[in-house]
Amino acid sequence: MAIEYDKEVARGTVEQRIVYESGNEMAAYAAHQINYHIMGYFPISPSTEVAQFLDLMKANGQHDIKLIPADGEHGSAGICYGASTAGGRVFNATSANGYLYMLEQMPVQSGSRFPMVMNLVCRSVSGPLNIHGDHSDLYYALNTGWPILMCRDPQAVYDMNIMAIKLAEHPDVRLPVIVASDGYFTSHQKRRVQTFANREDVHAFVGEHPPEGYLHVLDRENPITVGPYMNEPDYINNCYQQTVAMYKAGEVFEEISKEYAKLTGREYPTLDLYRMEDAEVVLFVLNSASEITKVAVDQLRERGVKAGLIAPNIIRPFPAKQIAEALKNAKAIVVGDRADSYGGHGGNMTLEVKSALFTHGVKDIHVISRVYGLGGKDFYLEDAHALFEVGLEAIRKGGVEKPFDYYGHTAGDPDKAPKRVVEPMAYEDLKTGLITVNKDEESGQLKVKVPPLRQLTKKPKRLAPGHGACPGCGIFSGLELFFKGIEGDIVALYHTGCAMVVTTGYPYSSHKATYIHNLFQNGAATLSGVVEMFWERKRRGELDKYGLKDDFTFVMITGDGGMDIGMGPAIGSALRNHKMIILEYDNEGYMNTGAQLSYSTPLGHRTSTSNVGKHQGGKLFHHKDTAQIMAATNIPYVFTGSEAHPQDLLKKAAKAQYYAQNEGMVYGKILITCPLNWLSEEKDGQTIIDNAVNSCFFPLYEVENGVTTITYNPEEKNKRVPLSDWLKQMGKTKHMTKPEYTEAYKSFEDEVERRWSRLKAKHENPFL
């Protein structure tokens, strides 16, 4: 509940208009009005929408920002740093694990003093995975050297984004700035927001261009060295200059806030102090929790309790002196942290408030730390009252019984411990003997025997029913078909993605075999560690007691997103040639975060970050040929497969198992339908996949010890169809068959033909 919206509309000196939008939409709206030069980005919930909204506006010709989709957040941070050294305005948005992935780039950006603005849409950093809002990612940002502005609602998201670039570019600051808002609470909830009606007024405030006179790498008359190796005493001097700029940022923010207030009628002081003039019991919280706390303060005041609220609008630099001044007459403060500093006897805000009080001589006050609202747990009016009661109890008793504790957690109950529902599958049921693979010693070729599919129907499914996949999703039919070709026990690692998210909502799991999950980009490295530990423990005889009847087959399941952000570790694992299978299900986009483009999305295809409009016709560059990339690592076996050709896929699964148990790494790619985001009919899934194969967009082949064999040639079977037969079946691509997109269609058609011709040449010549 945001009580400000019941007040009179703020008045300023510029023309404003009212919109009804979410925090993410307002971040994008501010960015498009500023008209940044570059945005490097990689999708992660809940910040993903910022790039999506900007791309949609780009397709409609509303701004000139160059949107660059990176291969991961580390890459997006590199794009932004490089762009900022070249003298223009740079923008980004991220969350949680994505922010941590780019973390090592953050001090480089600030230490080199290149300004930019990044929206941190706060989300839990955790293991196990949680994608909802708290401040654990924000607290990692505290030591990166970036000023941090706080946003309690979508209005603040808009206003802080406008002010942030002016702060970043100020001559006394010259630092990159973070604008932090609460994931899902602020990012997705729509509110009434006042905006500048005219872009010209935004530019009059922030400057149409970055200030002149600062060094950049594009001035040929003044070549510079960026990021030199720096020793003592220069390094400590550089750090000192940076800290001077950081504290100066606090003063400059106050100046900018006052200037902004004259224009808009909305002021953001360093501290949002609510009824603090005589407050005795105070609650300190950040961002979205502050608005409902104001209601609690009003209710307590009606009961005669002198309650107050402190909610900073900026936490880097930390407003220590102002906080101490505000609390000099208070008797108790409860500091609410939406993240823990494990082992620190309080969250980061608690520790900094304590330091501020001690430093500035405020001693006669009880300080209580409570960690609340983790992983998206809502903060209600009664929760604010409960935290105030903790402070009131300390005042009544003259002391604090529990200086640090969690609020809102549930004590463990042994009777409610998760119990096994599905018993382990019998080895005899998994090892059917119906599939055989033998190596011809003379030719070195594998001879594979697979039965008709009906004979494998009694083989247990590796995934239990009840997962949360969308209707018509092709992932699990494709995976189960592949698993039918695997004999015996498996250990499976799933990258973050649709297949992972919909099968493992704690305390439930659809996985009947052992399952592992690790960070999005690091699955291949993780599974390679598991593989090598297996072989080493087996060598030492440590696994005999576990009833192991045969070697495990180790399989990593990944989407096309995992083979973008995780490409480096995958190639590393391939070059080391670990005995494991990487199986990629390719549905041509980052579907679990909202159908953004992946590097496997073909040219011209519509996604939420490659929209179709008057100024843009879908994805602007060709798709990645992952199978050929992996084949270039010289691993024993690479294949492509499709459930539209089940016998072909079964044979390849059997071969994959043989190579993964005997020789080394295997990579396989299967094309998977996604009716929800392909905008297609569920019933047409197999036909769509069949046409993708018969149009030669997704050819079926294998690369066995460096030798390429096409396993299904639609031309030889007189089944080849035009690309248009495939494209017109999907809402995301049928625009490509229209005359106005002829150029994109022709470019895509030429590329498909080029890759198919090259594949045929490799099929005909074993040395290619």
Side-chain angles (χ1 to χ4, degrees):
M1 178 180 180
I3 60 175
E4 278 76 13
Y5 297 129
D6 295 328
K7 298 177 182 178
E8 184 181 352
V9 174
R11 303 294 181 187
T13 59
V14 297
E15 182 184 355
Q16 299 185 71
R17 69 186 192 83
I18 294 175
V19 298
Y20 187 72
E21 305 290 5
S22 68
N24 280 345
E25 288 171 303
M26 295 322 302
Y29 194 83
H32 111 276
Q33 286 188 316
I34 294 167
N35 204 29
Y36 283 90
H37 293 84
I38 297 289
M39 179 184 186
Y41 70 94
F42 186 80
I44 184 170
S45 299
S47 62
T48 300
E49 289 184 329
V50 178
Q52 291 178 190
F53 292 132
L54 279 170
D55 186 83
L56 187 59
M57 286 189 275
K58 179 71 177 278
N60 294 329
Q62 293 175 258
H63 63 77
D64 298 325
I65 303 171
K66 175 73 173 181
L67 300 167
I68 305 176
D71 60 333
E73 288 87 358
H74 199 276
S76 78
I79 289 168
C80 290
Y81 177 65
S84 64
T85 69
R89 283 178 170 160
V90 182
F91 184 70
N92 200 352
T94 192
S95 302
N97 302 62
Y99 179 70
L100 263 63
Y101 190 32
M102 63 171 67
L103 193 61
E104 70 170 348
Q105 185 68 64
M106 299 297 99
V108 177
Q109 183 98 32
S110 57
S112 300
R113 306 292 295 278
F114 286 107
M116 66 167 284
V117 173
M118 182 169 71
N119 277 255
L120 182 60
V121 184
C122 298
R123 184 190 113 181
S124 177
V125 174
S126 62
L129 180 67
N130 180 287
I131 67 164
H132 299 288
D134 64 30
H135 293 156
S136 46
D137 53 0
L138 174 65
Y139 286 2
Y140 280 100
L142 295 174
N143 291 333
T144 59
W146 293 49
I148 302 173
L149 309 184
M150 306 299 291
C151 305
R152 60 181 176 261
D153 55 23
Q155 180 69 68
V157 172
Y158 174 78
D159 294 331
M160 291 295 189
N161 268 281
I162 299 292
M163 289 190 283
I165 188 63
K166 190 176 180 70
L167 176 63
E169 293 175 348
H170 192 281
D172 292 338
V173 180
R174 295 294 295 176
L175 289 170
V177 174
I178 286 174
V179 177
S181 60
D182 289 354
Y184 294 109
F185 297 109
T186 302
S187 63
H188 285 63
Q189 293 177 1
K190 290 182 179 287
R191 293 289 186 270
R192 187 176 63 173
V193 178
Q194 286 182 262
T195 71
F196 285 84
N198 302 302
R199 176 178 284 174
E200 293 76 14
D201 290 327
V202 175
H203 287 171
F205 177 67
V206 304
E208 188 172 355
H209 305 287
E212 295 291 333
Y214 293 102
L215 300 177
H216 59 81
V217 300
L218 302 183
D219 183 355
R220 73 161 313 278
E221 299 301 324
N222 186 24
I224 61 173
T225 297
V226 174
Y229 177 71
M230 187 176 283
N231 280 320
E232 191 279 327
D234 302 297
Y235 179 69
I236 193 171
N237 293 338
N238 191 77
C239 292
Y240 175 74
Q241 292 171 16
Q242 186 178 342
T243 199
V244 169
M246 173 64 83
Y247 291 116
K248 194 68 178 177
E251 301 173 17
V252 172
F253 174 75
E254 290 185 344
E255 297 170 6
I256 291 173
S257 177
K258 290 175 182 176
E259 182 183 350
Y260 194 77
K262 291 179 182 178
L263 289 175
T264 66
R266 297 183 297 281
E267 184 174 1
Y268 293 88
T270 298
L271 295 179
D272 184 4
L273 301 177
Y274 190 71
R275 307 193 76 166
M276 282 295 298
E277 60 280 354
D278 62 345
E280 295 181 349
V281 60
V282 178
L283 188 54
F284 178 107
V285 290
L286 301 178
N287 278 5
S288 59
S290 66
E291 295 307 293
I292 195 66
T293 300
K294 291 177 182 177
V295 179
V297 168
D298 290 340
Q299 292 177 346
L300 287 169
R301 288 278 177 170
E302 290 174 2
R303 289 162 37 192
V305 177
K306 294 180 179 179
L309 166 71
I310 298 178
N313 284 314
I314 181 171
I315 61 170
R316 277 295 180 271
F318 192 72
K321 186 175 182 180
Q322 295 96 318
I323 288 172
E325 177 67 22
L327 291 171
K328 64 183 180 182
N329 297 317
K331 296 179 179 179
I333 179 171
V334 180
V335 182
D337 273 295
R338 221 164 193 151
D340 194 357
S341 178
Y342 297 108
H345 304 285
N348 288 85
M349 291 299 101
T350 298
L351 304 179
E352 300 208 8
V353 168
K354 285 181 177 179
S355 174
L357 295 173
F358 181 85
T359 300
H360 295 281
V362 180
K363 299 177 181 178
D364 296 326
I365 183 172
H366 302 299
V367 182
I368 306 107
S369 172
R370 290 295 182 265
V371 174
Y372 77 100
L374 302 189
K377 188 174 177 62
D378 281 316
F379 186 72
Y380 296 108
L381 180 60
E382 54 266 33
D383 297 320
H385 278 291
L387 293 184
F388 272 118
E389 182 56 34
V390 172
L392 290 170
E393 184 180 14
I395 295 172
R396 289 193 296 267
K397 292 184 176 180
V400 181
E401 291 183 2
K402 278 192 173 183
F404 165 68
D405 199 2
Y406 272 54
Y407 169 76
H409 60 295
T410 303
D413 183 350
D415 294 334
K416 294 182 180 178
K419 295 178 174 59
R420 179 173 295 283
V421 176
V422 179
E423 291 301 317
M425 294 173 287
Y427 175 79
E428 293 73 21
D429 293 336
L430 295 168
K431 189 79 169 182
T432 64
L434 294 171
I435 299 172
T436 59
V437 182
N438 296 294
K439 193 169 189 177
D440 187 299
E441 295 302 328
E442 290 186 12
S443 66
Q445 298 296 308
L446 295 185
K447 305 297 183 182
V448 183
K449 178 184 176 183
V450 297
L453 272 175
R454 63 180 179 274
Q455 290 186 247
L456 295 174
T457 55
K458 291 184 179 180
K459 196 171 184 178
K461 290 187 176 182
R462 311 261 183 186
L463 290 154
H467 56 70
C470 302
C473 173
I475 293 174
F476 297 102
S477 56
L479 291 183
E480 285 291 7
L481 180 59
F482 175 80
F483 284 143
K484 287 288 190 233
I486 302 292
E487 292 278 272
D489 294 318
I490 68 169
V491 172
L493 180 144
Y494 280 60
H495 261 162
T496 310
C498 290
M500 175 265 164
V501 171
V502 303
T503 57
T504 58
Y506 184 83
Y508 304 105
S509 175
S510 296
H511 297 272
K512 295 194 282 186
T514 295
Y515 160 94
I516 307 168
H517 171 255
N518 193 16
L519 300 173
F520 198 12
Q521 65 275 15
N522 217 20
T526 303
L527 191 60
S528 67
V530 177
V531 169
E532 295 309 316
M533 182 60 78
F534 167 77
W535 289 108
E536 182 58 21
R537 292 193 69 193
K538 182 180 178 182
R539 185 186 69 81
R540 298 187 186 193
E542 296 176 3
L543 299 180
D544 298 341
K545 60 184 176 181
Y546 295 107
L548 190 65
K549 297 178 182 178
D550 203 350
D551 294 338
F552 286 106
T553 300
F554 296 92
V555 187
M556 185 185 96
I557 305 297
T558 177
D560 43 314
M563 287 302 288
D564 283 348
I565 192 172
M567 197 77 210
I571 289 175
S573 297
L575 294 172
R576 296 189 300 269
N577 202 30
H578 299 285
K579 293 180 178 178
M580 55 187 270
I581 300 169
I582 294 179
L583 181 67
E584 176 187 345
Y585 61 86
D586 177 11
N587 47 25
E588 300 183 340
Y590 303 155
M591 300 312 184
N592 69 300
T593 52
Q596 299 83 21
L597 71 84
S598 79
Y599 285 11
S600 292
T601 305
L603 177 82
H605 287 218
R606 179 202 299 265
T607 72
S608 61
T609 50
S610 59
N611 283 281
V612 175
K614 292 182 179 179
H615 298 266
Q616 183 173 289
K619 185 162 174 270
L620 301 176
F621 53 95
H622 287 296
H623 60 289
K624 179 172 68 176
D625 197 338
T626 323
Q628 289 295 309
I629 293 172
M630 295 303 291
T633 65
N634 296 315
I635 56 179
Y637 190 52
V638 171
F639 71 89
T640 63
S642 157
E643 63 175 308
H645 295 77
Q647 290 295 116
D648 178 77
L649 183 55
L650 279 175
K651 285 184 178 181
K652 289 171 177 173
K655 279 189 176 183
Q657 180 174 30
Y658 176 89
Y659 281 115
Q661 288 193 331
N662 294 282
E663 297 188 19
M665 170 77 81
V666 170
Y667 167 81
K669 184 184 186 93
I670 55 177
L671 186 65
I672 291 299
T673 182
C674 179
L676 177 68
N677 294 311
W678 287 10
L679 306 176
S680 60
E681 295 291 333
E682 298 165 21
K683 62 182 176 60
D684 294 336
Q686 184 159 326
T687 305
I688 292 172
I689 298 299
D690 207 22
N691 280 338
V693 173
N694 285 330
S695 66
C696 296
F697 162 75
F698 193 82
L700 301 182
Y701 66 96
E702 60 189 6
V703 183
E704 196 169 355
N705 291 311
V707 177
T708 299
T709 303
I710 295 173
T711 59
Y712 171 79
N713 188 329
E715 292 176 338
E716 291 179 354
K717 296 184 178 295
N718 200 29
K719 288 189 175 182
R720 184 159 185 187
V721 299
L723 270 173
S724 57
D725 284 8
W726 174 52
L727 298 175
K728 67 186 180 184
Q729 288 186 285
M730 300 173 287
K732 69 163 184 164
T733 52
K734 61 184 180 182
H735 66 277
M736 294 181 69
T737 62
K738 296 179 180 179
E740 56 265 41
Y741 297 102
T742 299
E743 184 177 347
Y745 178 84
K746 185 66 167 59
S747 177
F748 181 39
E749 185 178 53
D750 289 346
E751 180 64 16
V752 168
E753 188 61 35
R754 185 184 71 83
R755 296 188 189 189
W756 173 240
S757 298
R758 188 171 60 183
L759 191 65
K760 288 191 291 185
K762 289 183 176 183
H763 172 81
E764 293 164 2
N765 189 329
F767 295 105
L768 290 181

